[in-house]
Amino acid sequence: MTTQLADTLRLVEQLNLPFPWETNAQGQIIMTPVNFGHSRYVGHLIRRIAAIAPQWESGSELGVITSDGVKAPDVYLASAAYVSRHEGGLAMLQKPRKSA
């Protein structure tokens, strides 16, 4: 993680923003308003995923640090072990590995 990205994450954590945010590759904060229809659809997806894979953690807008900044996917699915390694953090320190 770059120093600039680490500084941005510390700043955002202090702001305690009540809405989704991402950063671009330059570390600038990008905030995108979410409309009701999109939010409702994401909630529907999370409920369906939870029903299909109850042993996994599902949710939304989890920060993932990438080479292009911090991204917040609409929906995530993660194992309990993966969640416990990242719990309490502002963002995941690495993107999940793709499974075969």
Side-chain angles (χ1 to χ4, degrees):
M1 178 175 7
T2 67
T3 302
Q4 183 178 9
L5 181 55
D7 290 344
T8 300
L9 289 174
R10 280 191 288 277
L11 172 65
V12 172
E13 190 171 28
Q14 290 172 358
L15 293 174
N16 196 23
L17 299 173
F19 43 79
W21 59 271
E22 296 181 338
T23 67
N24 60 19
Q26 290 74 43
Q28 298 166 317
I29 299 171
I30 301 168
M31 295 172 274
T32 306
V34 178
N35 67 44
F36 177 75
H38 178 76
S39 179
R40 197 167 151 221
Y41 182 67
V42 167
H44 174 74
L45 287 175
I46 292 169
R47 286 189 300 278
R48 290 201 56 172
I49 290 170
I52 293 167
Q55 71 280 15
W56 290 70
E57 178 85 21
S58 57
S60 69
E61 303 294 342
L62 176 64
V64 179
I65 297 173
T66 72
S67 59
D68 194 35
V70 176
K71 304 301 175 193
D74 290 338
V75 176
Y76 72 85
L77 181 66
S79 69
Y82 190 84
V83 170
S84 70
R85 286 195 307 271
H86 297 282
E87 197 164 26
L90 185 61
M92 287 186 176
L93 299 179
Q94 64 191 46
K95 60 184 175 182
R97 290 186 300 243
K98 292 181 182 177
S99 60

